[in-house]
Structures are given as C-alpha cells and as structure tokens.
Amino acid sequence: MPELPEVETIKNALQKAIGYANIVNVCINDNRFRQIIPDDFAQKISGSKITNYQRIAKYIVISLDNGYSIIWHLGMSGRVKICDTMPELEKHDHVVFETSKGIVIYHDPRRFGLLSYCKTDELTQNKIFKNSGLDPFDEKLTPKFLHDKLKNKKTAIKIALLDQRIINGIGNIYASEALFEAKILPMRESLSLSLAECKNLIAAIRDILQKAIAAGGSTLRDYKKPDGSLGYFQNQHCVYNKTGMPCPDCTCGLKNGGIQKIVLGGRSTFFCPEKQK
DNA sequence: ATTGTCCCCTGCCCGC
DNA sequence: TGCGGGCAGGGGACAA
C-alpha cells in the first residue's frame, strides 16, 4: 500500500503516540510475510526501550537501546493501528506490540510486508538497504545524478521511477502524478530525458511528495493513519485513477478522451496526452 | 547486466 | 444471489 508519504505519516504518528516507550511484549499471531518473521524477533525486541524512529525508503526503522533496530515494511495492504488499551483483535491483526505507552498492531491482509530486525550499526550494510537508491529529498539527488542513471536505460521512465535502486520511496501513484507535474509522458524511454527534464522531474517528485506528506498520504483502499483517520491527498490527484476525466485546469477539453490509462511493467499508468510530452 | 514476466496473498468490484 | 475474472499504494525470483 504505502509509498513514501504514507510511510512517513505512519512513522511520525508512531513517534508521536508511542515515543520512547518500553516494549513490554511482542505477540506474533502469524509470521508468514514476504520474509518469515525471524523466530527470535519477539525475544530480541521485548524488554528494550525505543531510542529512535526513521524512514528509510518505504521502510520504518525503529532503533532500540539494546543495539538492535526493527525493520518494518507494509507491503501493499499493511496498516499500523495504535490503541491505548488492548482491543478485540480483528482478522489480519498479525503482530501486537505491547508498550509502556500503548498497543501497536500490525494489520496486513495480503501479508506482502516484512518485519525483521538487525543490529543498528549494520543497517546500511543490510541486504535490504544495501542497494537502496537515493531518498527523494537527499541533496545528492541532482539532475546530473538522475540523468547519468537514465542515460543507458531503455525502459520507460515511469518504470525507472519505480526502481527503488535509483530513487527510493516512489510508488505507483506518485510516479504517475510526478510525471504529470513534470509534463513528461510515462512511456518515454528513460535515456531520452534531457538534463533539463531531469531537473523538472526531481522538482516535481519533491513537490508531489511534500504535498502528499502534508495531507497525510492518499487513502484509496487499505491505507489509514494509525489513529484510524484518513489521508486526503487523493483529493489532489491529477491523473491517478482518473481515466477519461479532464486534468486540472483542463484546456485540452475532452476531445482527446481525457486522461488515458496504459499498462507499463504490469502496473496501471495514467497521463494526459495533451499536457505531457 | 538489463529487462520483462510471473508470483506471493486477500479482498473487493464488476459483469454475467 | 452467486461465481469468475480482473484489479489493487510492493518487491523479489527467475528467464531470456
């Protein structure tokens, strides 16, 4: 489910609600995720105190005072629920963290997510993060960096934006939205982008993601904030899931059929054939 | 090495 | 009302 803005929202909500709590107990009701939750996960985590929260790519990383960090990915359908007291568990409430400041529940119907741990000082070498690309807000993400990464790639630029080894955090919604804002057609060959277009694209990615974070992410299906409230950036989507509709401030009219949908790399992709070149 | 295809899993929506 | 097909915010394992 969640892309960078949703993960950032969840991480911030956790930090605000649970803060530097003690983790009293961890109960794993189902360990069958993208990777099986390590057998000693609960043992490694229980009894520790939280010392830090960060988002790395689409992962939430929670560091502990025992030298370990929790690595948490929510896949497509993962949700985090925070409660003051132990609620009646619902279907797909797979992991329950009891802390000194509340209950944290990992709910994930499709179980495409991942919950693991590693030593905090080995995070960057961890297999999960070793090949991770630049964070969209990393100042090392320059037009030249992106242009260099794309200059030998024949795949569509939209597919390249989903490649977490180049830039991380962008998913299927924000890839279409960023390309619309940058006025670039999603099926363009990556190597065809000029340096100036790379500059516009980086600016568009940052703008879209910042606005989405400010709105608490996009709620289309599964995603809710940990307190149960909804994100509202979906109201600002320009093209995603808007086939046949006019784009914002549409001057093209609907003579061309409005926003088009195509499939790239097996994922739905939306664009305005008039405004994007 | 890069690039496409398929798969993991459950739920929901649509058409018949 | 029921059933089958297609689709969904992600990512990894393969094959070519």
Side-chain angles (χ1 to χ4, degrees):
Chain A
M1 156 224 21
E3 307 183 35
L4 186 153
E6 291 77 29
V7 179
E8 183 74 17
T9 300
I10 292 166
K11 184 262 291 178
N12 289 338
L14 271 172
Q15 183 161 12
K16 187 174 176 195
I18 304 297
Y20 304 117
N22 296 303
I23 299 179
V24 177
N25 190 39
V26 181
C27 179
I28 299 171
N29 301 317
D30 195 334
N31 64 4
R32 298 171 301 158
F33 289 84
R34 191 170 91 219
Q35 290 177 20
I36 300 285
I37 300 177
D39 289 341
D40 58 354
F41 179 85
Q43 177 214 323
K44 277 283 191 301
I45 299 316
S46 298
S48 64
K49 178 178 159 60
I50 297 171
T51 58
N52 191 48
Y53 294 82
Q54 59 184 320
R55 178 193 55 74
I56 305 177
K58 293 174 192 167
Y59 290 81
I60 297 168
V61 175
I62 301 173
S63 297
L64 309 170
D65 68 351
N66 62 4
Y68 288 95
S69 289
I70 298 169
I71 302 172
W72 198 356
H73 190 284
L74 300 171
M76 290 274 261
S77 56
R79 276 180 53 198
V80 175
K81 299 192 268 186
I82 303 174
C83 314
D84 290 334
T85 56
M86 189 67 78
E88 187 90 6
L89 288 190
E90 297 174 298
K91 196 175 181 183
H92 307 306
D93 284 347
H94 300 311
V95 182
V96 180
F97 298 85
E98 274 180 74
T99 83
S100 54
K101 298 184 79 172
I103 310 292
V104 176
I105 296 173
Y106 176 25
H107 174 98
D108 189 353
R110 297 174 76 180
R111 305 199 314 276
F112 284 178
L114 175 157
L115 186 60
S116 189
Y117 71 86
C118 80
K119 287 187 177 165
T120 299
D121 57 14
E122 293 175 359
L123 269 173
T124 51
Q125 303 102 276
N126 189 291
K127 188 179 165 202
I128 290 173
F129 298 116
K130 205 171 50 178
N131 297 316
S132 189
L134 290 179
D135 189 89
F137 299 108
D138 190 326
E139 61 185 23
K140 290 201 284 292
L141 176 57
T142 60
K144 182 174 186 311
F145 172 90
L146 184 57
H147 194 247
D148 281 350
K149 286 287 184 188
L150 300 180
K151 70 182 178 193
N152 293 318
K153 285 186 93 66
K154 295 196 66 170
T155 109
I157 180 59
K158 195 274 191 158
I159 293 175
L161 285 184
L162 295 179
D163 184 343
Q164 304 296 299
R165 295 167 304 178
I166 303 175
I167 303 173
N168 66 49
I170 302 169
N172 202 40
I173 295 176
Y174 300 108
S176 280
E177 293 296 322
L179 285 166
F180 173 78
E181 181 166 320
K183 301 185 169 64
I184 296 168
L185 284 170
M187 65 292 263
R188 287 258 308 273
E189 282 187 330
S190 299
L191 53 76
S192 75
L193 267 69
S194 68
L195 190 60
E197 285 176 319
C198 288
K199 184 181 176 189
N200 289 343
L201 183 52
I202 291 169
I205 289 166
R206 288 175 174 159
D207 185 56
I208 292 288
L209 294 178
Q210 260 163 357
K211 286 176 178 163
I213 292 167
S218 299
T219 295
L220 297 182
R221 268 170 294 274
D222 303 305
Y223 171 71
K224 288 181 188 174
K225 294 196 263 181
D227 64 2
S229 65
L230 307 180
Y232 51 91
F233 190 71
Q234 66 279 5
N235 300 323
Q236 297 175 57
H237 290 177
C238 294
V239 291
Y240 184 81
N241 220 6
K242 295 192 179 290
T243 312
M245 297 166 68
C247 54
D249 307 317
C250 183
T251 52
C252 352
L254 290 176
K255 58 183 183 292
N256 54 18
I259 291 161
Q260 312 258 309
K261 171 181 170 175
I262 55 171
V263 175
L264 292 176
R267 315 290 304 274
S268 292
T269 305
F270 304 87
F271 65 97
C272 170
E274 287 289 320
K275 291 206 177 77
Q276 292 172 255
K277 299 297 176 193

